[in-house]
Amino acid sequence: MVVMKQIDAGNPLGGNRPAAYRAGGSSPIIPLRIWSLVAPPILTLLFVALWQVLFNTNVLSHTMFPSPLQVVHGFKQELATHRLPEDIVASLWRVAVGFALSIVLGLPAGIALGSSAYVRGAFLPGFNFLRNLSPLAWIGFAIVWFGVGDAPAIFLIFMSIFFPIALSVSADVAAIPVVYQRVADEYGLSKFERLYKVTLPAIMPRFVTTLRVAMGVAWLVVVAAEMVAGHNGLGFAIYDDRNALRQDLLVVHMIVIGVIGVLLDRYLASFAKNPTLQWGFQRQNL
Amino acid sequence: MTVSNTAEFLADPVLSLLDVCQSYGSTKVIENLTFSIRKHEFLAIVGPSGCGKSTLLRLMAGHELPLSGRVYRTGKVLTITQHGGLLPWLTAGENVELALRKIPSRRERDAAKAQMLELVGMAGSANTYPHELSGGMRQRIELARALAGSSEVLLMDEPFSALDYLTRLQMRNELVRILSEQPRTIVFVTHDVEEAAQLADRVIVLSARPATLKLELIPGDDVRPRPLTGENVTGSVKKLLRALGMEDRS
């Protein structure tokens, strides 16, 4: 008699399935969704507890690094003086303007570069040259041209992400499958229709990733820019903390910068859940 | 079953090739190809892999210009490919609407879209994205869009090759049913000689590269899709395989 055995078709190493499985079964011990929500706070609490223990046992020198409790105290102080919210708003404003400018100009520049070999031939060497210049190299000019405040930081953010955005978009446009271009040809789409019905939607899934990378760079650059050409903002606050030897506030501002960076990235990553972009995140042979 | 006389099809051609040659660099892909397709004819093209069938379709569609010779088209030509030409960011309904967007009235446009989706048996999938559909369903939507596009000629480049065998059999029946309601001229490139023998009014066999016309065959004048085990199909398959250089062991 032939005995048929049912085989689970799931691949424990593939997709979103975690590696942890019950013996003899295919369902995970903890669903990935719950694990992703629970594990990071637990790890953070463990890290903070270890930090406090190292501080209490003098493994961490009290003059070199603050304790978690000192950081909490510093955080309360910053909130009480309203300085922290003001610095956050100042930095976010600069990033928002620099980021928006870079997209508004970088997207069309990238589409032009990606659509025409002639445009690429003329402008690509210059774009690559400027892309490879560190944005910090522009600081001297930024201060001379714009003084201190919002403008130099916005300028430095623009110089650091405009060229990568344009080049990334140009590569995405050049990689649009020919079959979509032929559909546009055969169904008689005008140039404008081709742009908003084919080109822009076709590059959007990758553009979301480009935006996430660009935002990360912008957030790094605003801190550096405010340190040298600011009178407020989180970068300036860190500069101020260093001069005042307030290591507790240094850690407060580092934590705030990190948390805001993660939140901004999460926000941009949520665009990928848009139904019109889902196709770009599927492993399907369309 | 007879080998056809090309001349009889020249009476009412919607697409003609005259001494068409195509090369890529020093590689000759098509050499002196001449044939015509009459209105509402179902022409299947078979040939060995890499012989230039897809190149031939691109020439017919006007996506490429021949190195020499002429391609004559009398109407609009649309292509359906094996890889799927649906725009994945649009729903099935929006893809069909792409072909209907010149209709000014929203109500008329919606009615035409619903009619096309109904015709291909996908009335309930208007709001579904292509990646949520099976391969067969995507081909139906692409067919609906092409039919909505009011083209005279549909060029189908191995449209069912990515489907499983049973779905292919089902799609053959569906294609014939749909064409009986919305007649079109079909140029159907396939590797599957059985598919060609079941569906086509006429089959053209191309030689290995550079592609030349090796055989023209009319599988029969019976109702399509012809029965798989019927004499017309089995006999045609044998002839086609022989023309393709495959040994007949039956």
Side-chain angles (χ1 to χ4, degrees):
Chain A
M1 184 182 163
V2 178
V3 178
M4 301 285 285
K5 188 179 175 185
Q6 189 178 342
I7 300 171
D8 181 16
N11 172 14
L13 299 176
N16 289 326
R17 288 183 163 207
Y21 282 82
R22 281 199 193 97
S26 62
S27 59
I29 297 164
I30 303 173
L32 180 63
R33 199 186 175 91
I34 293 173
W35 176 251
S36 306
L37 284 174
V38 171
I42 291 174
L43 285 173
T44 306
L45 282 175
L46 286 174
F47 174 76
V48 171
L50 178 68
W51 175 11
Q52 187 67 50
V53 168
L54 292 175
F55 187 84
N56 290 346
T57 53
N58 287 325
V59 175
L60 273 180
S61 163
H62 290 204
T63 56
M64 301 289 278
F65 209 76
S67 74
L69 290 175
Q70 285 172 328
V71 171
V72 171
H73 179 71
F75 185 71
K76 283 180 185 169
Q77 212 176 23
E78 282 290 283
L79 284 180
T81 59
H82 302 293
R83 188 182 150 183
L84 183 61
E86 285 170 14
D87 285 335
I88 291 173
V89 170
S91 294
L92 281 176
W93 165 251
R94 287 162 192 155
V95 166
V97 175
F99 191 68
L101 267 178
S102 302
I103 292 171
V104 166
L105 297 175
L107 189 59
I111 290 172
L113 282 170
S115 306
S116 164
Y118 285 97
V119 175
R120 272 199 300 282
F123 290 100
L124 203 56
F127 269 62
N128 270 321
F129 171 80
L130 290 165
R131 179 175 67 96
N132 283 298
L133 285 182
S134 164
L136 302 181
W138 290 97
I139 283 177
F141 290 110
I143 293 172
V144 170
W145 292 342
F146 304 109
V148 291
D150 292 343
I154 292 167
F155 171 73
L156 291 175
I157 289 168
F158 178 82
M159 292 307 287
S160 60
I161 62 173
F162 166 75
F163 298 105
I165 286 176
L167 289 170
S168 177
V169 168
S170 79
D172 295 345
V173 169
I176 294 174
V178 167
V179 65
Y180 302 148
Q181 308 286 9
R182 286 194 182 143
V183 168
D185 287 340
E186 290 191 352
Y187 288 92
L189 268 63
S190 66
K191 278 189 174 175
F192 183 60
E193 284 177 317
R194 188 183 286 261
L195 176 67
Y196 79 90
K197 280 185 189 285
V198 178
T199 305
L200 286 174
I203 65 169
M204 272 306 138
R206 290 187 189 193
F207 189 57
V208 169
T209 308
T210 301
L211 290 184
R212 291 176 65 186
V213 174
M215 178 55 87
V217 173
W219 195 236
L220 289 176
V221 168
V222 77
V223 172
E226 287 169 348
M227 280 182 178
V228 290
H231 53 70
N232 59 2
L234 291 167
F236 180 76
I238 282 191
Y239 181 71
D240 211 25
D241 301 338
R242 190 193 69 178
N243 289 341
L245 298 175
R246 288 292 303 270
Q247 288 167 344
D248 56 335
L249 295 184
L250 261 177
V251 175
V252 167
H253 289 118
M254 286 166 74
I255 290 171
V256 168
I257 288 167
V259 168
I260 292 176
V262 169
L263 291 176
L264 288 172
D265 184 63
R266 283 287 177 93
Y267 174 66
L268 290 173
S270 71
F271 289 179
K273 290 179 183 159
N274 186 308
T276 59
L277 301 185
Q278 277 296 297
W279 65 273
F281 300 94
Q282 302 279 330
R283 288 184 181 275
Q284 293 243 358
N285 183 23
L286 291 177
Chain B
M1 241 180 310
T2 54
V3 174
S4 76
N5 175 3
T6 303
E8 70 184 83
F9 295 109
L10 293 173
D12 190 15
V14 288
L15 206 154
S16 299
L17 283 83
L18 186 63
D19 282 330
V20 166
C21 296
Q22 184 67 314
S23 297
Y24 299 121
S26 59
T27 309
K28 272 189 177 179
V29 181
I30 292 171
E31 193 168 29
N32 296 329
L33 214 47
T34 297
F35 62 88
S36 290
I37 304 153
R38 67 183 153 82
K39 193 173 183 182
H40 296 169
E41 185 186 6
F42 194 123
L43 175 76
I45 299 175
V46 296
S49 277
C51 74
K53 298 188 291 290
S54 295
T55 302
L56 183 58
L57 281 197
R58 286 199 294 275
L59 290 167
M60 288 177 175
H63 296 145
E64 280 182 23
L65 291 174
L67 187 70
S68 63
R70 303 293 290 266
V71 178
Y72 298 98
R73 286 181 295 270
T74 57
K76 191 174 171 185
V77 175
L78 292 174
T79 312
I80 296 175
T81 65
Q82 57 182 313
H83 304 299
L86 293 178
L87 303 182
W89 48 87
L90 300 180
T91 62
E94 288 166 343
N95 264 289
V96 175
E97 224 175 307
L98 199 69
L100 300 165
R101 67 193 195 291
K102 297 274 166 67
I103 300 175
S105 156
R106 174 87 238 175
R107 187 180 294 179
E108 284 176 33
R109 212 160 52 233
D110 286 344
K113 179 174 72 179
Q115 187 198 347
M116 284 303 153
L117 289 171
E118 178 82 39
L119 178 68
V120 297
M122 296 292 291
S125 301
N127 296 320
T128 312
Y129 284 93
H131 70 265
E132 297 167 327
L133 298 170
S134 68
M137 288 167 149
R138 287 202 291 266
Q139 289 295 10
R140 285 167 192 259
I141 298 295
E142 204 168 343
L143 187 56
R145 185 179 67 185
L147 293 171
S150 310
S151 70
E152 178 47 53
V153 181
L154 294 186
L155 305 177
M156 304 180 84
D157 189 1
E158 300 182 37
F160 307 149
S161 64
L163 308 179
D164 62 84
Y165 185 68
L166 290 179
T167 311
R168 291 175 79 155
L169 291 181
Q170 192 185 5
M171 286 302 291
R172 289 176 198 172
N173 290 326
E174 280 294 283
L175 182 60
V176 170
R177 178 187 65 77
I178 291 162
L179 289 175
S180 69
E181 292 183 39
Q182 293 270 336
R184 294 288 191 281
T185 307
I186 303 289
V187 179
F188 193 95
V189 165
T190 180
H191 273 113
D192 188 337
V193 289
E194 182 191 88
E195 198 165 68
Q198 263 202 298
L199 291 175
D201 293 317
R202 183 166 53 123
V203 184
I204 282 178
V205 180
L206 298 179
S207 67
R209 187 179 285 191
T212 55
L213 198 58
K214 201 168 179 184
L215 176 74
E216 277 186 75
L217 180 80
I218 294 179
D221 53 4
D222 45 343
V223 177
R224 293 172 296 133
R226 300 180 184 92
L228 266 178
T229 51
E231 194 187 324
N232 282 341
V233 171
T234 53
S236 297
V237 166
K238 281 181 187 173
K239 287 187 176 181
L240 292 170
L241 287 174
R242 205 172 301 137
L244 289 165
M246 303 293 289
E247 195 180 341
D248 184 2
R249 292 175 186 274
S250 59

